[in-house]
Amino acid sequence: MGILQGKKGLILGVANERSIAWSIARLAHREGATLGFNFVGEALEKRVRPLAETLDADIVEPLDVTSDAQLDAFFSKVEKKWGGLDFLVHSIAFANKASLRGRFIETSRSDFHLALDVSCYSLVAVARRAVPLMKEGGSLLTLTYIGSIRAVPNYNVMGVAKAALESTVRYLASDLGTEGIRVNAVSAGPIKTLAASGISGFKELLTNYEKATALKRNVSLDDVGKSALYLVSDLSSGVTGEVHYVDAGFRISLGLIR
Ligand code: NAD
Ligand code: 0WE
């Protein structure tokens, strides 16, 4: 029997087969979970729907997290279909591309708002709607990056958004503990996903990163998926408010190359 047998989970943020969310979905399905997915726009629907079908998904519905109307419609579908929920994976981030290069000080008010809205407030927005469905407790998981605690060149406003996201994890965990709902984050090392494509210098980042980690390698989608599985399942029943690094030991290393 799988560790997620009989559990219902929403996986938000699949764009394609290289998405971190997809890696988590595959492993969760293998452990017996029944899954639901979102997509943003028709282009991504064409990618997400066939993928979701390979995992016998119960729910594949539109959800742009900047829209309260879409949030309400999405969760009312979940309520109708399942009437309950055990876990939710939030694997969503977005910043205007122009704000992910050049000087941080040039960040405009609207680029700041967009990054924080999509990448941080959205966790609160989905939690508010998911929590009433988690009648027997549950687990919320989000994805973050070390750019929240270190100044990573070009990560810029996304670093600020991830710092706010990690704080949001602690406030939600503290708020929802009484309902038996745990809230955690996985801080993943860099992976070449859609969200990393077109980032200038990403290839160099991966080569340098590998040399600077304790394990002397980059992290894989599988590394992140497996740790995520632990955090959404009962295996982590005593863990909440945590930022769990799946980074091959990058954070604990001085980074000097031997
Ligand atoms: P990805 O492009 O596959 O996933 C990002 C997802 O965010 C996409 O599915 C996209 O549709 C979704 N999204 C963007 N705007 C949205 C909106 N308004 N409403 C709903 N969904 C929206 O890339 P990924 O690397 O798998 O990213 C997933 C998460 O992992 C992000 O939070 C990212 O910050 C985090 N992360 C990525 C890395 C990395 O190096 N790839 C490292 C650490 C953390
Ligand atoms: O969180 C991320 C990616 C976030 C992201 C990426 C994009 C690219 C396309 C958010 N918004 C957008 N908007 C786009 O238009 N990562 C952790 C991956 C990442 O992105 C970087 C990195 C790393 C690592 C950007 C600059 C420097 C390093």
Side-chain angles (χ1 to χ4, degrees), residues 141-181:
L141 181 69
T142 189
L143 274 297
T144 186
Y145 178 63
I146 196 169
S148 61
I149 60 162
R150 306 263 182 83
V152 174
N154 300 319
Y155 200 59
N156 296 0
V157 73
M158 271 307 306
V160 177
K162 292 301 194 187
L165 179 70
E166 291 170 20
S167 184
T168 297
V169 164
R170 293 185 285 271
Y171 276 94
L172 285 175
S174 170
D175 206 2
L176 303 176
T178 47
E179 280 125 293
I181 297 169

Side-chain angles (χ1 to χ4, degrees), residues 93-97 100 119 144-145 152-156 158 162 188 190-191 193-197 199-200 202 205:
F94 190 78
N96 188 344
K97 198 156 190 174
L100 296 176
S119 315
T144 186
Y145 178 63
V152 174
N154 300 319
Y155 200 59
N156 296 0
M158 271 307 306
K162 292 301 194 187
I191 300 176
T193 62
L194 184 63
S197 70
I199 300 292
S200 59
F202 197 80
L205 180 79

Side-chain angles (χ1 to χ4, degrees), residues 44-203:
L44 283 182
E45 178 176 12
K46 288 202 184 87
R47 294 198 158 271
V48 175
R49 201 173 281 287
L51 283 175
E53 277 165 12
T54 67
L55 303 186
D56 314 304
D58 260 8
I59 294 164
V60 187
E61 295 291 336
L63 173 56
D64 179 328
V65 293
T66 61
S67 159
D68 283 330
Q70 287 190 33
L71 281 158
D72 289 338
F74 184 86
F75 280 92
S76 91
K77 294 230 173 75
V78 177
E79 156 89 276
K80 269 208 196 89
K81 184 97 191 169
W82 287 347
L85 185 66
D86 298 295
F87 66 91
L88 180 149
V89 176
H90 170 278
S91 187
I92 292 169
F94 190 78
N96 188 344
K97 198 156 190 174
S99 59
L100 296 176
R101 67 171 97 93
R103 298 190 66 184
F104 173 68
I105 200 169
E106 305 294 344
T107 310
S108 70
R109 191 187 300 272
S110 72
D111 286 355
F112 190 100
H113 281 167
L114 176 66
L116 273 282
D117 188 21
V118 177
S119 315
C120 175
Y121 179 72
S122 62
L123 181 64
V124 183
V126 300
R128 281 175 64 179
R129 292 160 175 94
V131 164
L133 300 174
M134 295 181 153
K135 293 154 199 157
E136 283 140 38
S139 176
L140 303 176
L141 181 69
T142 189
L143 274 297
T144 186
Y145 178 63
I146 196 169
S148 61
I149 60 162
R150 306 263 182 83
V152 174
N154 300 319
Y155 200 59
N156 296 0
V157 73
M158 271 307 306
V160 177
K162 292 301 194 187
L165 179 70
E166 291 170 20
S167 184
T168 297
V169 164
R170 293 185 285 271
Y171 276 94
L172 285 175
S174 170
D175 206 2
L176 303 176
T178 47
E179 280 125 293
I181 297 169
R182 301 182 294 106
V183 190
N184 294 289
V186 159
S187 183
I191 300 176
K192 186 110 185 78
T193 62
L194 184 63
S197 70
I199 300 292
S200 59
F202 197 80
K203 220 182 131 202

